[in-house]
Structures are given as C-alpha cells and as structure tokens.
Amino acid sequence: MDIGIEDIVFTVNYGDEEIDLTGQVFRPRNFEEKSNLPPIVFNSGFAGGVSMYGQLFGRALAERGYCVMTYDVAGFYTNKHARNIVQQGNLTLTNVSLEDQKDEVLGAIAWTQKAFGRMPAVVSWAMGGTASLAAIAQLARAGGPQVAFYAPLNYTRISSLQNLRADKAAAHASLMALADDDAIPPFDTGTQKTRLGFYPLDTDTQAYVDEQLGAYTEAASVERWPGCSHMTASSYKDYVAFDPEAGLNGSAGFPPALIVHGADNTLHLPEEAVHLHGVYPGDATDGPYIIGGMAHGQQNQPDNAIFRQMIDQIDRNIATRAV
C-alpha cells in the first residue's frame, strides 16, 4: 500500500508551560475520511518515538488502513531541545520525566482528536505504556471523552525493571544520594562503571539494541540511538516514583484493551502483562496476548512473521472492539 507521511506540530501542556512538539502522521494515500477505523497515537519508551519504532509501527498500521500519529518525546531526536536538556559546561544531560511523557500522550490524543474528528486508539511500546496508562487514567478521572482503544506492548512496572540490576538496593541508595543534576549513564549494563545507569539492560537485550535501533535513527537522519550520552540523576528518581497503576482505582470509563507481550522477553518479563491484566479496570479480554517466540524488540522488523502477527492482532482488536 502507498503510504503518505505528513509532518505535524502539536501542543503539550506540561503544567508549568505549553510547548509545541513536532511529530508525523503515517496514512494510506487512499484513506477514506469516512473510514470506520479510529486514528492511532503511537508512543514509545524513554528514548523512543517516530525516529525509532514509531516509523515502523506507523507504516505497518497505515498499511492496514489506519492514520497513525507518532512523535519523539521531548529531549530526544527531533524534539531534543524542546525541553528536558541540561547543559553542564561541555556536557549535555538529558532529563527523562514520565510525568512529561504522560502530558505528551495527552497532547497527542488532543491533536489527533481534533485532526480526525474522533478519539484515537493508543498503541504504546514498552516503557511508553506507563506514560499512556497514566494518561488514560487521567482521562477516566476527568469523566470526559476517552480513547477508543488501548494496546500496551511489552509493558513493565518500573519497580520490576530494577530487578535486573546486580545489586538494586545499593544502586538505588547511591542514585538517590546524588544531586538531581548529577550525570549518570543512560544504561546499567552490569558493569561497575555503569551500575548507576538509568535503565538496566539484560544481556539478551544488549546484544541487539545498538545495531537495530541505531539503524532506525540513522535512517531518520537524527542523532544515533540512544540520543544521549548522559542523563540526570533526577531522571532515575522521578521514574522509580512514577506509578500509573495508582490511578486505576475509583474511576470508570476505561477503554477496551489488548495487552500484548513477548513470551521470551528477558527485559520486560511476561508476568508483567499478567499483572497489568489483573489490575486493568476495563475490558482486556480473558487474558494478555502472549506471543511465543517474541522477545523484546528483536522481532520488530517489517517482514518478521512474529511482528506481523502482533500487527494482525492489534488491527483485529481495534477494528472489532474500539469504541
């Protein structure tokens, strides 16, 4: 199918300021405005967005007839200098705020609703699912329009992710003792030098991410993945305190959902999908959709059969269950 790509600008209200971010819309060129398919907002993890998996999912879902809006989070790639950058002499530090990323999801939803005349479905990759879950919970508490569908892919609780560290208690104590603007590595790869890294990576994930995600960012003509050399210590402090599940109780009006996870995921473990299914207040089918042979992002390639299987399920569920 012939896919068109449109550059767009959308506004995000961060509470302390409003900022315009850039994004892209992927759509079939023969898209019918009267299509019964909702548009989709796709968001990704802490360094994710259109310059990484956004372009992959955007094209794959546009091939199924959807209009897909996606974007880079503030502080990375095409939105690198919009917000969340701290300069310390010659050193550039990136600050990651999941609260900010929740606000970005809400801004993307609002832009997409206005652009297409209806509330979108939200499809979220990995840690992006924590930000979108918080956004959906905020919409539920507000009692207004809700998104049409929710599909978190390889979701994890931030607290569970810390179990990958060699000594999570010692790392946590050391990180919490740092000043907020102290520099830390982007990743904890299990070495003494990286033990205070923001995001722990297991061995299997380390083996593929640099080559695969580096290829995506190079194709997008942006700074090579991960898009930062150092992060602020406050990034760690903020994300371990961020709990989107705390907002799930006491509200109604959550959208139907499909919780998707890789059976062989050694970074975000499959039991995280089982947990989310147990606490999600909306209709999430009889259980999470666990895909055999799927790890974390290793299968995220356009012609990979497991990736196509995942896209098939997302398409089928949105087409038949979206509100």
Side-chain angles (χ1 to χ4, degrees):
M1 179 181 289
D2 191 14
I3 304 299
I5 304 173
E6 174 188 358
D7 294 326
I8 60 101
V9 175
F10 68 106
T11 302
V12 179
N13 184 349
Y14 292 104
D16 59 342
E17 63 179 346
E18 287 192 353
I19 293 179
D20 287 343
L21 299 184
T22 61
Q24 288 188 323
V25 171
F26 294 77
R27 69 169 84 201
R29 291 194 187 276
N30 61 351
F31 175 74
E32 293 288 342
E33 293 293 343
K34 295 181 180 179
S35 169
N36 61 351
L37 297 176
I40 292 174
V41 167
F42 176 86
N43 74 304
S44 192
F46 83 91
V50 66
S51 296
M52 286 170 36
Y53 286 146
Q55 55 183 303
L56 172 68
F57 281 86
R59 288 188 172 89
L61 290 164
E63 288 175 355
R64 305 301 178 95
Y66 296 92
C67 293
V68 184
M69 185 275 201
T70 183
Y71 57 92
D72 291 324
V73 299
F76 287 91
Y77 308 123
T78 57
N79 288 314
K80 186 174 182 69
H81 295 287
R83 184 177 166 95
N84 290 327
I85 293 295
V86 177
Q87 198 66 39
Q88 292 186 0
N90 294 326
L91 195 63
T92 300
L93 278 62
T94 302
N95 185 65
V96 169
S97 166
L98 289 177
E99 188 69 29
D100 276 9
Q101 292 189 19
K102 179 263 294 179
D103 292 335
E104 290 161 7
V105 174
L106 290 170
I109 290 169
W111 183 92
T112 306
Q113 180 190 23
K114 183 177 180 180
F116 295 100
R118 63 178 296 187
M119 287 293 275
V122 174
V123 178
S124 301
W125 177 258
M127 204 169 85
T130 62
S132 60
L133 184 61
I136 288 167
Q138 182 169 319
L139 292 174
R141 290 192 299 273
Q146 181 58 275
V147 301
F149 193 82
Y150 179 47
L153 318 174
N154 281 335
Y155 169 91
T156 190
R157 288 168 289 177
I158 302 303
S159 58
S160 299
L161 185 64
Q162 307 313 308
N163 293 329
L164 294 173
R165 297 185 189 270
D167 188 338
K168 68 175 183 179
H172 178 73
S174 297
L175 283 159
M176 295 301 290
L178 295 175
D180 285 353
D181 285 348
D182 281 350
I184 62 173
F187 302 108
D188 174 1
T189 56
T191 67
Q192 181 64 23
K193 183 178 180 180
T194 65
R195 70 183 184 87
L196 300 187
F198 171 77
Y199 201 98
L201 288 180
D202 67 295
T203 303
D204 289 347
T205 306
Q206 292 174 43
Y208 86 92
V209 289
D210 184 67
E211 179 179 354
Q212 187 194 67
L213 297 182
Y216 276 117
T217 52
E218 286 181 354
S221 299
V222 295
E223 182 179 2
R224 184 178 172 82
W225 183 89
C228 63
S229 62
H230 298 81
M231 299 177 68
T232 62
S234 65
S235 299
Y236 173 85
K237 297 176 186 181
D238 290 347
Y239 98 136
V240 293
F242 188 83
D243 181 14
E245 295 179 15
L248 298 183
N249 295 326
S251 298
F254 283 80
L258 177 70
I259 298 168
V260 179
H261 215 98
D264 299 337
N265 196 328
T266 54
L267 180 67
H268 296 178
L269 301 181
E271 49 261 41
E272 291 297 294
V274 176
H275 166 81
L276 179 59
H277 183 269
V279 300
Y280 186 73
D283 173 17
T285 68
D286 293 335
Y289 183 67
I290 307 295
I291 302 178
M294 177 175 159
H296 192 62
Q298 290 93 322
Q299 288 72 42
N300 283 356
Q301 302 171 45
D303 297 325
N304 185 280
I306 291 174
F307 176 74
R308 305 304 296 181
Q309 177 184 348
M310 177 169 57
I311 295 296
D312 284 345
Q313 283 297 321
I314 295 169
D315 173 27
R316 184 175 298 114
N317 276 267
I318 292 177
T320 60
R321 299 176 57 220
V323 295

